[in-house]
Amino acid sequence: MHIHYFQHVPFEGLASIADWIAQGEHPTSHTRWYDEAPDTTGLKDAELLIIMGGTMGVYEQDIHPWLLTEINLIREAIARGQKILGICLGSQLLAHALGANVYPHTQPEIGWFPIDFTFQGQAAPLENVLPHRLNTFHFHGDTFDVPAGATRFAASAACSNQAFIYGDRIIGLQFHMEMNSAAILEILRCSGAAFEHSAPFVQSPEKIEQYLHLANENNQTMFRLLDYLAGL
């Protein structure tokens, strides 16, 4: 299965998704939006588009004008019927492309916090893929409204809109099941300013590192979701 992925910052790559891709020997192409000349070759022929996270907001198109280009490409991918997985910023871009609002949340959510999954409507098939509760990694300050025609299927104490599914193969996840230990340590190294002020749902880097062992369960859950998207 040909996979194309969008990457927004150097320190938020595929992480454990790269292991899943390697195991399945899936060909990949990518667009790195931080490159001087982002390459979108391969996107139209991809069977799955994966949209990764980043530090920018969907509403910062004046600062990052390429965001508008990316949003239009996501809309075209939706119109073509491609499978899409958006993670963190990727979920927000996907929600925006589907017509929903994206905006700063009332509070940031950074660290290991549980989410509860529900499996009604379009999310019903995911009951065989995801657990009912998962302690997962978060690193976001923005949130999205659920797009019209989509089904919300995850929530946390800090953020009620954690995931949505549109149709049966377009999924947005606000949280980071894909991040392995190395990816979490890297985002902590690159995001020191996020910990300058205390907040109810912001854990210290030291506490986050204490729970790195949870990454393995999250990665295995991500693999099952990718299998579902791939039709395996």
Side-chain angles (χ1 to χ4, degrees):
M1 182 176 66
H2 178 195
I3 297 167
H4 190 92
Y5 66 93
F6 288 163
Q7 185 172 350
H8 305 100
V9 290
F11 55 86
E12 285 198 55
L14 292 173
S16 71
I17 295 174
D19 299 328
W20 180 85
I21 290 172
Q23 289 171 13
E25 299 182 339
H26 302 293
T28 63
S29 53
H30 60 263
T31 303
R32 294 188 172 121
W33 293 102
Y34 50 88
D35 286 346
E36 185 173 335
D39 183 6
T40 61
T41 304
L43 172 60
K44 288 184 179 180
D45 297 324
E47 296 166 78
L48 171 63
L49 169 62
I50 301 177
I51 313 167
M52 302 307 301
T55 55
M56 56 288 299
V58 171
Y59 43 81
E60 293 182 318
Q61 296 169 26
D62 55 335
I63 303 173
H64 308 286
W66 49 263
L67 281 168
L68 183 58
T69 301
E70 181 178 6
I71 291 163
N72 286 333
L73 288 173
I74 295 169
R75 287 177 175 145
E76 291 173 5
I78 295 168
R80 282 194 296 269
Q82 288 173 291
K83 303 171 184 178
I84 305 175
L85 174 64
I87 299 172
C88 202
L89 172 63
S91 69
Q92 297 159 12
L93 286 162
L94 183 54
H96 181 76
L98 287 166
N101 293 322
V102 179
Y103 45 90
H105 196 27
T106 54
Q107 56 192 343
E109 187 177 24
I110 299 174
W112 297 97
F113 299 102
I115 54 170
D116 293 303
F117 293 103
T118 54
F119 303 107
Q120 74 283 352
Q122 295 172 100
L126 299 178
E127 189 166 14
N128 298 319
V129 177
L130 302 171
H132 285 269
R133 171 167 270 219
L134 180 69
N135 197 357
T136 193
F137 185 65
H138 306 260
F139 208 107
H140 69 101
D142 290 346
T143 188
F144 52 75
D145 292 336
V146 176
T151 299
R152 178 177 68 95
F153 66 91
S156 69
C159 184
S160 59
N161 292 339
Q162 285 282 0
F164 66 86
I165 181 168
Y166 182 85
D168 63 347
R169 291 295 190 274
I170 295 178
I171 294 175
L173 306 176
Q174 181 64 81
F175 46 93
H176 289 282
M177 295 193 301
E178 87 289 356
M179 283 198 177
N180 51 27
S181 297
I184 292 169
L185 291 173
E186 181 66 5
I187 197 172
L188 293 181
R189 185 184 70 82
C190 297
S191 307
F195 302 96
E196 291 178 353
H197 305 286
S198 62
F201 291 95
V202 176
Q203 296 173 347
S204 68
E206 294 76 19
K207 186 168 185 179
I208 290 171
E209 290 184 31
Q210 288 177 11
Y211 292 93
L212 287 178
H213 62 277
L214 296 174
N216 183 62
E217 179 186 0
N218 276 263
N219 297 166
Q220 294 302 314
T221 305
M222 174 58 81
F223 289 0
R224 291 196 299 273
L225 184 61
L226 289 166
D227 285 346
Y228 168 80
L229 284 170
L232 301 177

